[in-house]
Amino acid sequence: MAMCNIPSTNTDPQYRYKMPKLVTKIEGRGNGIKTCIMNMGDVARALQRPPQYTTKFFGNELGAQSNYTNKEGEGERAIVNGAHDTPVFQTLLDKFIEKYVCCENCHLPEISMYIKKGVIQGKCAACGWAGELDNVHKLVAFILKNPPDETGSNLATQETGGKIDKKERRLAKQAKQAKDDDDDDDDDEDKKEKKEKKDKKEKKEKKEKKEKKSKDDDGDEPKEKKEKKEKKEKKEKSEKKEKKEKKEKKEKKEKKDDDDSDDDDEVKNLMFDEDDTKNVIKTLADFVQTKGGKPTSADFFEELRMQQLAKVFDNKVRLFITFEALCGSSMDAKALSQHTKVVDHVISNAKMSTSEVAWALNAYLKANPGVAKSLPMTMKAAFDEDWLVEKDLLAYYNDDEGEGEPGFEEAKKAIAQFLKWLETADSDSDDDNSDSD
């Protein structure tokens, strides 16, 4: 089956959101001529919208009667009166996608449609945007009358969108009656249970009164009961002590396991699986190659963001992956300067702090020890681009704020002279300000 992008106006061959191309057939002639959309169900399911919506939309736009059925033996049939060419339907389908499928913020077909307070609304699963969809089109009345189910692919009432026949109404009535009967039985059981509880409570109160009276008469609790109570307290105390000892042993064991795991390769702990990291880096590196080694910041970020949504990793790891994908295993100041726009887009989009950018550089050094000599100049290039703030960078390394993070110790040692230069420059700046005062 031939496929195209969602919407078909998107010409990117590597775009991952696909749908089948519309297949139409003109039937009849004269006044009875009509166009049958052969694969309306498959297309609608790819868009995660009920096929009744798209069929009705075509009818509204073309000013013609339309109908969608899914009867046993006939299969799915979407009919629009009149003779219409396939490109006409494809253009109208793209219009429908723009209004009710694609997010107006990130433009990805990730919108889930729902009805709230009589208004058609949507929420994007990709970027989190939420808001109202088109509530002006003629289709709105049909959608409000036939709301989508939780999946968004079918109507909430029934899948076919046809009228409920007498048999279905009778079955629904019988099911409702059976449910009401079950509810009545449940009520009887609840009453019975409440009565039993009440009787138990009364017996308990009588017993307590009797014991209290016995205590008042003797001036103390019965000896036998007192012994039982002491025995019970002793047992509870022993169990409590045993539980506490078990808990302490468990905590010690967990602490030991954590200490042992710290000795593993730290680069494997880049917030998600090492194999996933390598796969993402390879995918993005291949993407960079297809763009001649110089992708635009928007194209690269869109591909990177899709990988982040699919694999679920944080923004620090995202920057580390960016360094690997753009510069391979030999990043230096020159290589970084060739991709400043792309890197700046990644950093500024997440409003990354100095410590987060430094984390990504440290992790890159851990994964590629051979760049230790060029790291000071790479750091300076990042500093010149205002990705690193002098005061925060000095505090991060000199105060050991990043202690325990992958590559921190190696990076601190490699850039010792650069840090010293920063401190000297900062000191000279303070002296100049003092003299001017």
Side-chain angles (χ1 to χ4, degrees):
M1 184 182 290
M3 305 292 283
C4 64
N5 289 337
I6 303 176
S8 64
T9 52
N10 188 324
T11 56
D12 185 356
Q14 294 183 345
Y15 195 59
R16 68 188 183 98
Y17 297 98
K18 302 286 185 183
M19 65 178 175
K21 287 184 177 179
L22 287 170
V23 178
T24 65
K25 180 183 177 183
I26 297 175
E27 299 176 348
R29 53 179 148 175
N31 292 334
I33 196 166
K34 57 190 176 183
T35 306
C36 179
I37 305 165
M38 311 297 287
N39 61 340
M40 188 75 266
D42 294 333
V43 174
R45 277 186 285 274
L47 301 177
Q48 293 187 343
R49 293 292 178 270
Q52 293 89 338
Y53 289 2
T54 47
T55 307
K56 190 72 175 176
F57 186 84
F58 291 158
N60 288 338
E61 288 291 314
L62 295 170
Q65 286 188 347
S66 60
N67 185 35
Y68 172 84
T69 57
N70 186 9
K71 296 179 182 177
E72 191 174 346
E74 290 184 7
E76 294 180 294
R77 282 177 62 81
I79 303 293
V80 179
N81 283 1
H84 309 283
D85 294 332
T86 304
V88 173
F89 285 115
Q90 190 64 58
T91 303
L92 294 178
L93 183 63
D94 290 338
K95 187 176 179 181
F96 174 85
I97 291 169
E98 183 182 349
K99 289 177 179 290
Y100 299 109
V101 179
C102 283
C103 172
E104 70 175 45
N105 183 44
C106 66
H107 306 295
L108 295 177
E110 290 281 3
I111 287 289
S112 59
M113 179 191 287
Y114 58 93
I115 310 296
K116 187 174 182 182
K117 295 181 180 179
V119 178
I120 303 172
Q121 301 191 34
K123 185 172 183 180
C124 182
C127 69
W129 174 87
E132 295 183 7
L133 303 181
D134 188 336
N135 280 271
V136 181
H137 197 273
K138 290 180 182 179
L139 181 67
V140 173
F142 180 79
I143 294 176
L144 294 178
K145 192 176 179 182
N146 304 275
D149 63 7
E150 292 179 358
T151 65
S153 301
N154 297 303
L155 301 185
T157 52
Q158 61 253 349
E159 290 187 1
T160 61
K163 293 182 179 178
I164 301 176
D165 57 22
K166 289 181 181 179
K167 185 179 178 182
E168 288 176 332
R169 275 201 297 270
R170 190 178 73 251
L171 291 173
K173 189 175 180 181
Q174 289 174 355
K176 187 176 185 299
Q177 185 63 44
K179 186 177 183 299
D180 292 340
D181 293 341
D182 290 340
D183 291 341
D184 291 339
D185 293 340
D186 291 340
D187 290 341
D188 292 339
E189 287 180 6
D190 289 342
K191 286 178 182 177
K192 190 177 178 182
E193 191 176 341
K194 284 180 181 178
K195 190 178 178 183
E196 288 176 355
K197 282 184 179 178
K198 188 178 179 182
D199 293 341
K200 258 186 199 179
K201 190 177 180 183
E202 287 176 355
K203 283 182 182 179
K204 189 178 179 184
E205 287 175 352
K206 283 181 182 179
K207 190 177 178 183
E208 286 175 352
K209 281 181 182 179
K210 191 176 178 182
E211 288 176 354
K212 187 178 180 184
K213 187 179 178 183
S214 174
K215 185 178 177 182
D216 291 339
D217 292 342
D218 298 343
D220 200 356
E221 286 184 315
K223 187 178 179 182
E224 188 180 343
K225 188 178 179 183
K226 191 175 181 181
E227 287 176 353
K228 282 184 179 179
K229 188 177 178 182
E230 288 175 354
K231 195 174 180 181
K232 187 180 179 182
E233 287 176 352
K234 192 174 181 182
K235 188 180 177 183
E236 287 176 352
K237 195 174 180 181
S238 176
E239 287 176 352
K240 196 174 180 181
K241 187 178 179 182
E242 192 176 342
K243 282 182 181 178
K244 188 178 179 182
E245 288 175 353
K246 282 183 179 179
K247 188 179 178 182
E248 287 175 353
K249 283 182 181 178
K250 188 179 178 183
E251 287 175 352
K252 283 181 181 178
K253 189 174 182 296
E254 287 176 352
K255 189 177 180 183
K256 187 183 177 188
D257 291 342
D258 290 341
D259 292 340
D260 292 342
S261 64
D262 288 342
D263 296 332
D264 294 339
D265 187 3
E266 288 174 309
V267 181
K268 290 182 181 179
N269 294 323
L270 294 178
M271 303 305 175
F272 71 119
D273 188 75
E274 184 185 16
D275 291 335
D276 283 344
T277 312
K278 288 179 179 178
N279 290 336
V280 173
I281 291 170
K282 186 178 185 306
T283 300
L284 287 165
D286 292 343
F287 174 77
V288 172
Q289 289 300 319
T290 61
K291 300 295 182 179
K294 293 183 179 181
T296 64
S297 57
D299 288 346
F300 181 86
F301 185 77
E302 182 181 354
E303 188 70 19
L304 177 64
R305 180 63 180 152
M306 282 200 294
Q307 291 294 328
Q308 186 179 15
L309 290 170
K311 301 296 183 181
V312 188
F313 48 86
D314 64 14
N315 292 330
K316 293 190 295 185
V317 176
R318 185 173 75 177
L319 182 57
F320 163 77
I321 290 172
T322 300
F323 291 149
E324 288 276 5
L326 293 173
C327 303
S329 60
S330 57
M331 181 174 69
D332 55 18
K334 184 178 179 181
L336 187 62
S337 65
Q338 293 174 353
H339 302 286
T340 50
K341 287 185 179 180
V342 178
V343 177
D344 187 68
H345 191 158
V346 175
I347 293 172
S348 60
N349 177 269
K351 297 180 181 177
M352 296 182 70
S353 63
T354 295
S355 60
E356 290 174 325
V357 176
W359 185 97
L361 289 166
N362 296 344
Y364 181 85
L365 173 64
K366 185 73 177 178
N368 305 281
V371 301
K373 289 184 179 180
S374 60
L375 184 62
M377 293 307 295
T378 306
M379 280 278 188
K380 187 176 184 305
F383 176 75
D384 292 339
E385 292 293 336
D386 293 329
W387 299 334
L388 301 169
V389 178
E390 178 182 332
K391 183 181 177 182
D392 296 341
L393 189 65
L394 290 172
Y396 176 76
Y397 284 106
N398 292 341
D399 298 343
D400 290 333
E401 292 179 2
E403 189 175 5
E405 294 177 354
F408 176 79
E409 296 299 334
E410 295 91 331
K412 183 178 179 181
K413 184 177 178 182
I415 65 169
Q417 290 296 324
F418 174 66
L419 295 174
K420 189 175 180 181
W421 173 79
L422 278 181
E423 289 173 345
T424 306
D426 188 38
S427 176
D428 291 344
S429 176
D430 291 341
D431 291 342
D432 290 343
N433 290 335
S434 177
D435 292 341
S436 64
D437 289 344

